[in-house]
Amino acid sequence: MRILHTSDWHLGRAFHRVNMLDAQSAFIDHLETAVRDHGVDAVVVSGDVYDRAVPPLAAVELFDDALHRLAGLGVPTLMISGNHDSARRLGVGAGLIGRAGIHLRTDPAGCGTPVLLPDTHGEVAFYGLPYLEPALVKAEFGVDKAGHEAVLAAAMDRVRADLAARAPGTRSVVLAHAFVTGGEPSDSERDITVGGVAAVPSGVFDGVDYVALGHLHGCQTITDRIRYSGSPLPYSFSEAGHRKSMWLVDLGADGSVAAERVDCPVPRPLARLRGTLEDLLADPELARHEEAWVEATLTDPVRPAEPMARLTERFPHTLSLVFDPERAPDDPAVSYARRLAGRDDQQIAEDFVAHVRGAGPDDRERAVLRDAFDAVRADETVREVAR
């Protein structure tokens, strides 16, 4: 069975104020062409179809168009909700849409109920694990502690139990939206840390033939059987080195996996430039970036006059301007933002406690801070979905 694995469309998202709807529409065109040209038997979309719980109308219309086109191809499609989607909204009409061969899996209670697709070697069971917000689903899975590993492990126990009851040799594919240990994040993913832990071990997914992951925006291989497709378009300059693609996966009669990448059309390359303003304007080596979307980091010791206007004369698609004067680390002029770079909310709070009290928090106090941050994040998730 030939499977096309994609994820993280983020319909409705902009790139540094640039409307990406045309680029997202071009990706849907490309997806339809790839399904037809490569003889795909099933399409899997591993979450974050939309960029937010209440997407703009234009994004909903594009999603509707994508559903009609995929259904028109007669190729079964499976989709799960991600941490950006509203699972309830995305799942509206799932039963009716399923009659057209588009299977939406947004309810955590359905993790152990597969979509069965036949090929010449038998059936392949596709299990959809939507994004599992630990605080919201721990009761469903009967886990005492709300954590990503606990709820995913419980969901996978249901998958393995169902698979064990099926005919010997039944092959299996799991769609999941999670941060798996070994994955490389970028700046454009929403933090899903719970209890100080964001990632789950890949061993959680033992016992299935292929795991189609979503959440991380870079296409990557965790193991031969566990892969991220990444987002089809860039959504931050941290993705400048990404090759945007989908996975074309051939699942053999014995459950073996062979995969190759299918490149996605990118509207414009990304470039991250660093140096003084005069160097960026004069360096002939940078000519290749003149039509790229540019993030320019200026290292001038004193902020130059009209830097954006001068940059856009040479790089008309400059979208981000950062000032980072080259100073010694102990220079008092080093910015507050620079001192905080790379530190999460928990670390910043612990530093604040140490600053005002003269000593950092003990283990009990760290746990209180961690629980508070988790409670706020879970509450924000509930309120966003309820909008």
Side-chain angles (χ1 to χ4, degrees):
M1 181 172 287
R2 175 161 284 188
I3 302 162
L4 188 63
H5 167 200
T6 177
S7 72
D8 294 273
W9 295 358
H10 288 278
L11 301 181
R13 187 166 185 162
F15 179 74
H16 288 268
R17 301 177 305 281
V18 173
N19 189 317
M20 296 289 277
L21 197 66
D22 286 345
Q24 291 168 341
S25 180
F27 164 69
I28 299 301
D29 292 342
H30 172 69
L31 176 68
E32 181 182 18
T33 300
V35 170
R36 185 183 297 111
D37 290 352
H38 292 283
V40 170
D41 299 306
V43 176
V44 297
V45 186
S46 299
D48 283 352
V49 175
Y50 290 122
D51 187 56
R52 55 183 186 267
V54 185
L57 179 58
V60 177
E61 290 173 339
L62 181 56
F63 179 58
D64 181 64
D65 178 57
L67 292 182
H68 279 84
R69 293 165 73 173
L70 287 167
L73 292 170
V75 175
T77 299
L78 295 93
M79 296 183 174
I80 61 171
S81 49
N83 61 304
H84 280 250
D85 299 308
S86 165
R88 292 175 64 185
R89 284 189 174 86
L90 187 65
V92 168
L96 185 61
I97 295 171
R99 296 181 185 180
I102 309 293
H103 305 279
L104 301 175
R105 292 293 182 263
T106 63
D107 183 357
C111 286
T113 303
V115 175
L116 299 173
L117 301 180
D119 67 5
T120 55
H121 304 292
E123 288 186 326
V124 179
F126 288 79
Y127 298 89
L129 278 58
Y131 172 67
L132 303 175
E133 175 60 49
L136 303 183
V137 302
K138 65 176 183 177
E140 165 65 34
F141 292 106
V143 298
D144 296 328
K145 188 173 181 180
H148 289 295
E149 183 175 355
V151 295
L152 269 172
M156 283 301 302
D157 284 344
R158 293 188 184 183
V159 169
R160 285 184 284 263
D162 180 86
L163 194 57
R166 297 194 176 275
T170 300
R171 291 156 293 159
S172 54
V173 175
V174 165
L175 288 69
H177 196 87
F179 187 173
V180 176
T181 301
E184 184 66 33
S186 59
D187 293 343
S188 53
E189 298 120 7
R190 182 181 294 170
D191 181 33
I192 59 171
T193 300
V194 174
V197 178
V200 299
S202 60
V204 165
F205 298 103
D206 285 351
V208 296
D209 294 310
Y210 184 70
V211 181
L213 292 174
H215 180 57
L216 300 185
H217 288 183
C219 182
Q220 49 201 296
T221 300
I222 304 300
T223 72
D224 286 343
R225 295 181 180 275
I226 304 175
R227 299 171 187 264
Y228 283 98
S229 66
S231 61
L233 293 165
Y235 293 112
S236 73
F237 277 103
S238 66
E239 300 168 55
H242 289 185
R243 173 187 162 195
K244 295 300 182 181
S245 58
M246 303 177 284
W247 284 112
L248 190 65
V249 178
D250 286 317
L251 187 63
D254 58 353
S256 60
V257 171
E260 63 177 287
R261 294 172 72 173
V262 177
D263 289 332
C264 295
V266 176
R268 197 176 292 278
L270 308 185
R272 306 183 92 172
L273 309 183
R274 181 182 178 89
T276 65
L277 178 60
E278 295 303 326
D279 286 346
L280 296 186
L281 295 177
D283 188 349
E285 291 294 317
L286 301 181
R288 67 185 187 277
H289 300 307
E290 290 176 356
E291 293 304 315
W293 279 324
V294 168
E295 176 189 71
T297 299
L298 300 184
T299 60
D300 302 74
V302 178
R303 184 173 300 208
E306 300 183 328
M308 181 61 89
R310 295 169 66 188
L311 275 169
T312 53
E313 288 181 3
R314 183 179 188 188
F315 306 103
H317 304 287
T318 301
L319 300 181
S320 176
L321 184 58
V322 180
F323 295 96
D324 188 18
E326 292 184 346
R327 297 188 174 107
D330 57 353
D331 189 318
V334 172
S335 72
Y336 179 68
R338 186 172 174 183
R339 293 199 301 273
L340 296 184
R343 304 182 70 76
D344 61 28
D345 291 341
Q346 177 87 15
Q347 292 169 322
I348 293 169
E350 291 181 13
D351 287 350
F352 176 76
V353 172
H355 173 72
V356 298
R357 197 171 64 182
D362 58 26
D363 289 345
R364 182 185 64 80
E365 292 167 332
R366 287 191 186 93
V368 170
L369 286 170
R370 187 162 53 245
D371 289 346
F373 282 122
D374 288 349
V376 169
R377 190 183 55 78
D379 181 64
E380 289 176 345
T381 300
V382 171
R383 285 190 285 109
E384 182 175 353
V385 171
R387 286 173 58 196

